[in-house]
Amino acid sequence: MTPFKDLDPMLHSQLRLAVVSLLMGVETAEFTFLQEKTGATAGNLSIQITKLKEAGYINVEKKFRNNYPQTLCSITPLGRQKFAEYVKALRNYLNPDQK
C-alpha cells in the first residue's frame, strides 16, 4: 500500500487553493477578479493573498490605474510546483493503489 503524503497546509485552505487554482490559468489576475471568482470578502482575500505571497507561492504587484489602486497577482514557479505536488498527493488519496 502506498503511504499517504501530507497535504500542503498552505494549499489545503479552501480560499488559498481557489486563488492558486485561478492563477494557474492566467498570466496575472486583478484582486477584484479573484474576489469576484472566489466570493471572498476583501479583508479575508487580502489576508490569504499575503500568506501566499510570504510563502513564495505568488507575486503581488500594487500600482495605480486611472488614479485607482490596482493589485495584480501572479503565480511563481514555486507556486506552480507546489500546486502540482498538491494535485498529485490528492490523486494518491483518490487512487492509492495506482502509481
Side-chain angles (χ1 to χ4, degrees):
M1 182 170 166
T2 306
F4 292 104
K5 288 188 174 184
D6 290 338
L7 296 175
D8 183 344
M10 185 57 60
L11 293 177
H12 205 55
S13 156
Q14 182 177 347
L15 183 52
R16 288 192 300 262
L17 180 59
V19 169
V20 171
S21 296
L22 288 166
L23 292 176
M24 287 293 290
V26 296
E27 188 173 325
T28 61
E30 289 187 36
F31 182 90
T32 53
F33 170 81
L34 295 173
Q35 186 179 13
E36 177 186 309
K37 292 295 186 183
T38 62
T41 64
N44 192 13
L45 182 59
S46 179
I47 289 167
Q48 301 311 318
I49 284 174
T50 299
K51 288 181 180 184
L52 288 165
K53 178 185 174 193
E54 289 173 352
Y57 287 30
I58 66 171
N59 288 319
V60 178
E61 179 185 359
K62 295 184 181 265
K63 58 185 187 177
F64 283 89
R65 186 177 72 183
N66 298 327
N67 291 328
Y68 291 99
Q70 181 183 41
T71 301
L72 297 172
C73 300
S74 60
I75 195 156
T76 64
L78 175 63
R80 287 188 184 283
Q81 174 192 335
K82 293 294 188 177
F83 183 79
E85 291 170 1
Y86 186 83
V87 169
K88 184 177 179 182
L90 276 179
R91 284 189 178 133
N92 186 45
Y93 275 80
L94 297 172
N95 296 306
D97 296 327
Q98 285 190 340
K99 290 188 177 189

